[in-house]
Amino acid sequence: MTSFLFGLIILLVGFLGLFATLTFIIIEIFKRKPKHWKKSIYSFLISGAVVILLILVHEVILFPPNPKLDDLVLTAYREAPIGGYWLGLYYDSTWEFGNSSREIEFDGTFEIIGDTLFLFTSSGSTFYNGNSSNQFLIQAEDLVEIENTGIKGLKIGLNKISKE
């Protein structure tokens, strides 16, 4: 959700810069004053630089790529117009959950017994219902939540879990 809001801010800055540039161009067309051409060029360059800087801050500082993505054994997700869910399980028996692989809300360790996935949160964090653990039934293409915490179900994207 935070990434979405930051994206809206970037879009707003871009539109304001474009609006200022077009305003100065229209003024120059009707009044024929050379200083307005300079203002339109400056507003275009400054707003462009600010948008590029905001994109870099968003992509590199606020929401950097997840360095653990190469160690994934299972990913599951549920898309939503605003604020979907993403779950990633890693080889070292840890997991992360959030809106995406960059926006992690909570994490912990997992265990798989039979066809059931048990998630245990790190100390100090809980699921949406206040519990520190959750269980999912592993089906062919879905993870179905056993106790309802608000997640309900997730679609499996990547599955490298060995069938024993």
Side-chain angles (χ1 to χ4, degrees):
M1 184 66 159
T2 309
S3 179
F4 176 75
L5 293 175
F6 200 81
L8 286 178
I9 291 170
I10 293 171
L11 188 64
L12 179 66
V13 169
F15 276 132
L16 288 175
L18 185 62
F19 179 75
T21 302
L22 290 175
T23 301
F24 290 128
I25 289 173
I26 290 170
I27 290 172
E28 173 52 33
I29 289 172
F30 289 112
K31 293 194 175 184
R32 303 205 191 281
K33 293 185 179 178
K35 72 177 187 177
H36 291 292
W37 283 116
K38 290 179 186 176
K39 287 182 181 179
S40 65
I41 292 170
Y42 290 144
S43 69
F44 179 76
L45 292 176
I46 290 171
S47 64
V50 169
V51 166
I52 290 171
L53 182 66
L54 287 174
I55 290 172
L56 285 173
V57 166
H58 179 266
E59 295 294 321
V60 177
I61 297 171
L62 294 178
F63 303 103
N66 190 334
K68 295 173 63 177
L69 289 181
D70 292 337
D71 297 332
L72 283 168
V73 292
L74 184 133
T75 62
Y77 63 93
R78 186 175 84 204
E79 293 181 3
I82 297 178
Y85 293 127
W86 179 86
L87 172 68
L89 306 180
Y90 300 100
Y91 282 113
D92 62 356
S93 295
T94 61
W95 59 271
E96 294 179 321
F97 183 85
N99 293 76
S100 69
S101 62
R102 292 180 170 202
E103 293 184 79
I104 303 301
E105 290 182 40
F106 36 89
D107 59 2
T109 59
F110 73 89
E111 186 178 347
I112 297 174
I113 300 174
D115 62 351
T116 306
L117 169 65
F118 295 89
L119 300 178
F120 306 99
T121 62
S122 299
S123 61
S125 64
T126 62
F127 285 96
Y128 299 123
N129 65 351
N131 291 342
S132 61
S133 66
N134 198 355
Q135 300 88 32
F136 288 90
L137 185 61
I138 303 172
Q139 296 180 343
E141 297 180 5
D142 298 304
L143 292 179
V144 179
E145 189 176 36
I146 295 174
E147 289 184 32
N148 187 11
T149 65
I151 299 170
K152 296 182 183 172
L154 302 169
K155 188 118 185 105
I156 295 175
L158 169 74
N159 189 355
K160 293 183 184 177
I161 296 175
S162 62
K163 309 283 187 216
E164 296 178 8

